[in-house]
Amino acid sequence: MASKLKLFWMLPISCLLLSNCLHTRGNADPQVPCYFIFGDSLSDNGNNNNLKTLAKVNYRPYGIDFPEGPAGRFSNGRNMQDVIVELLGFQKYIPPFARANGRSILKGVNYASGSAGIRDESGAQLGARIPLNKQLKNHKIIISRITQILRNDTSTRKLLNQCIYSVQIGSNDYINNYFVPEVYNTSRQYSPEQYAAVLVEQYSQQIKVLYGHGARKFALYGLGLIGCIPFVISAHGTNGSLCVEKLNNAATLFNARLMPLVKELNTNLTDAKFTYVNPSPSPQDALSFVTNSTCCKVGGGGGELCVRNSDPCSDRSRYVFWDGVHPTDAWNELVAQSAYRTNSTNEAHPFNIQTLAKLK
Ligand SMILES: *[C@@H]1O[C@H](CO)[C@@H](O)[C@H](O)[C@H]1NC(C)=O
Ligand SMILES: *[C@@H]1O[C@H](CO)[C@@H](O)[C@H](O)[C@H]1NC(C)=O
Ligand SMILES: *[C@@H]1O[C@H](CO)[C@@H](O)[C@H](O)[C@H]1NC(C)=O
Ligand SMILES: *[C@@H]1O[C@H](CO)[C@@H](O)[C@H](O)[C@H]1NC(C)=O
Ligand SMILES: *[C@@H]1O[C@H](CO)[C@@H](O)[C@H](O)[C@H]1NC(C)=O
Ligand SMILES: *[C@@H]1O[C@H](CO)[C@@H](O)[C@H](O)[C@H]1NC(C)=O
């Protein structure tokens, strides 16, 4: 199973020699002045800590490899966005909206929330969360705080135009909505094709709201192979396949609509740049990873998270999955390296994040 499953991750190449790609932190300015993050648990860095939800991870062993310990990242260490923030040359990680204060917000804010979706109801069975619509409202609050700090609408606008806006969301609209028919009606209302269309249409409106708030550089992430997530496999069964085909197929339909949306947005909104990012790593590096088990003992949260205070595996850098859903720091490093510098248009289209940062 392990070797076959690895084929799923064997997607085009990026950084061959990881050692050449590692970022050394200096004192130079970051490549963009600010970085705003929207999304779900793949990007959340503490926004759910004080919410009433099963989808929060401010407990050990989360953060076992992170300087601050269990700060609310769904990982043993960094999440993918943390790594991209390092690669862009920021000296500090982007603060979560829940704790962002003072002048730090001039460098960006992370609004992402575990279990959140494009649709407001997605993830509701797990408890409170901050759906994308609410994240956009929180961004408006931050913009007015930035305007107060800068005391000038023109300079606020100028700053907002230069930031990168990262949006990685949609998994929960499937895993914690469409494929939970006991709780949600969407699978009775829509075929997978219709659902992808409805989701991407709503997403398109939300991205335009962000554009309306002055965003001009967007990285929009496709869905990964959600049918290969251990928790999804245990919940749905694979019927003899490697992964849960219906979930992977649904994700493919979503991506197949998101890619042309990115193209259209680039055509229609000529003063903005959009890029589509496929969240996958370099296959060369992926070969040595364990894919058929999770590093920590799962059973926490809604059954997919690490058991509180459990002892995780010791060779964490070898695992794809930290818990039943989320990747390890090591895997996030590979995926982020790819997103940042890949030259493969299958991985980032029309440009990688490094190029997006440089564009005027
Ligand atoms: C995972 O794959 C490895 C290598 O193929 C195998 O030795 C191991 O037993 C598998 N583990 C599980 C839990 O299936
Ligand atoms: C991508 O292309 C640029 C310019 O041709 C080159 O400098 C860089 O090394 C390439 N990156 C990778 C990861 O192959
Ligand atoms: C606001 O900043 C712009 C330059 O960004 C400057 O030209 C303008 O005079 C400033 N306005 C005020 C009221 O300070
Ligand atoms: C979903 O379906 C149930 C009955 O099957 C109904 O009571 C409920 O109102 C529906 N919810 C939505 C959001 O349509
Ligand atoms: C399981 O696989 C068999 C054989 O490929 C197929 O006939 C059947 O429809 C599948 N069942 C489900 C629930 O997908
Ligand atoms: C782009 O513009 C065309 C022509 O006006 C329009 O039909 C289409 O809906 C627009 N696409 C988006 C994503 O706004």
Side-chain angles (χ1 to χ4, degrees):
M1 175 167 168
S3 61
K4 273 208 216 150
L5 187 50
K6 273 169 195 157
L7 290 173
F8 280 100
W9 303 105
M10 294 187 72
L11 301 158
I13 189 127
S14 63
C15 229
L16 275 172
L17 292 167
L18 195 55
S19 56
N20 288 350
C21 304
L22 287 174
H23 172 72
T24 35
R25 286 188 167 205
N27 288 316
D29 282 341
Q31 293 162 42
V32 284
C34 33
Y35 191 80
F36 289 97
I37 301 165
F38 298 81
D40 54 28
S41 57
L42 294 172
S43 311
D44 189 353
N45 64 350
N47 287 309
N48 278 17
N49 289 353
N50 296 317
L51 297 185
K52 199 166 176 248
T53 174
L54 294 170
K56 62 177 173 185
V57 292
N58 51 350
Y59 61 85
R60 285 184 302 168
Y62 286 93
I64 188 170
D65 299 311
F66 196 74
E68 288 171 47
R73 288 167 170 80
F74 291 72
S75 166
N76 59 308
R78 300 160 299 170
N79 61 37
M80 178 183 175
Q81 294 306 322
D82 290 324
V83 180
I84 291 178
V85 163
E86 287 179 11
L87 293 169
L88 285 168
F90 285 88
Q91 302 295 308
K92 289 182 174 166
Y93 296 122
I94 303 302
F97 175 76
R99 287 197 279 113
N101 58 35
R103 293 183 67 86
S104 74
I105 64 172
L106 299 176
K107 292 201 162 74
V109 171
N110 183 339
Y111 305 98
S113 167
S115 84
I118 292 169
R119 293 170 72 92
D120 288 345
E121 81 269 17
S122 297
Q125 87 278 19
L126 296 170
R129 70 241 164 263
I130 311 166
L132 184 53
N133 284 330
K134 185 74 194 300
Q135 294 181 30
L136 292 167
K137 290 197 174 115
N138 289 341
H139 184 50
K140 264 190 88 174
I141 294 171
I142 290 295
I143 292 175
S144 52
R145 281 163 59 186
I146 291 176
T147 310
Q148 277 172 14
I149 294 171
L150 298 181
R151 298 171 178 281
N152 183 325
D153 285 341
T154 311
S155 16
T156 299
R157 199 74 177 177
K158 232 173 119 183
L159 178 68
L160 294 173
N161 288 171
Q162 295 176 297
C163 314
I164 287 181
Y165 298 78
S166 166
V167 194
Q168 183 171 22
I169 199 158
S171 299
N172 289 309
D173 296 292
Y174 287 99
I175 299 170
N176 286 312
N177 185 329
Y178 194 81
F179 289 104
V180 191
E182 312 86 86
V183 182
Y184 302 93
N185 292 344
T186 43
S187 63
R188 288 181 289 274
Q189 292 171 316
Y190 306 111
S191 70
E193 289 81 2
Q194 290 168 332
Y195 191 60
V198 166
L199 272 184
V200 172
E201 173 54 29
Q202 183 168 359
Y203 195 30
S204 163
Q205 299 307 324
Q206 290 160 329
I207 295 304
K208 286 176 191 168
V209 168
L210 199 46
Y211 174 86
H213 293 329
R216 293 295 179 269
K217 291 185 173 193
F218 295 82
L220 306 182
Y221 289 78
L223 298 184
L225 292 160
I226 55 177
C228 300
I229 292 172
F231 180 70
V232 168
I233 290 176
S234 67
H236 294 269
T238 61
N239 191 26
S241 298
L242 239 28
C243 298
V244 188
E245 309 272 0
K246 61 183 180 183
L247 272 92
N248 280 346
N249 293 342
T252 302
L253 292 171
F254 178 89
N255 292 343
R257 294 224 170 230
L258 181 55
M259 280 182 263
L261 172 66
V262 166
K263 197 170 174 207
E264 252 183 76
L265 290 168
N266 274 321
T267 306
N268 289 15
L269 305 173
T270 51
D271 61 343
K273 307 288 177 204
F274 296 84
T275 196
Y276 171 86
V277 182
N278 176 3
S280 67
S282 147
Q284 234 68 2
D285 294 314
L287 278 174
S288 58
F289 276 78
V290 177
T291 54
N292 63 348
S293 55
T294 65
C295 174
C296 78
K297 183 170 155 39
V298 299
E304 78 285 31
L305 302 179
C306 301
V307 171
R308 192 175 287 266
N309 294 326
S310 57
D311 290 327
C313 68
S314 51
D315 48 353
R316 295 185 279 281
S317 62
R318 289 189 51 240
Y319 280 74
V320 172
F321 291 102
W322 160 244
D323 63 16
V325 175
H326 307 99
T328 55
D329 175 286
W331 188 257
N332 288 329
E333 164 91 36
L334 295 184
V335 179
Q337 289 282 357
S338 169
Y340 182 72
R341 66 181 91 239
T342 182
N343 286 333
S344 157
T345 54
N346 288 328
E347 296 301 283
H349 193 77
F351 21 71
N352 60 34
I353 290 174
Q354 186 173 33
T355 304
L356 179 68
K358 286 190 185 118
L359 294 171
K360 288 286 172 238

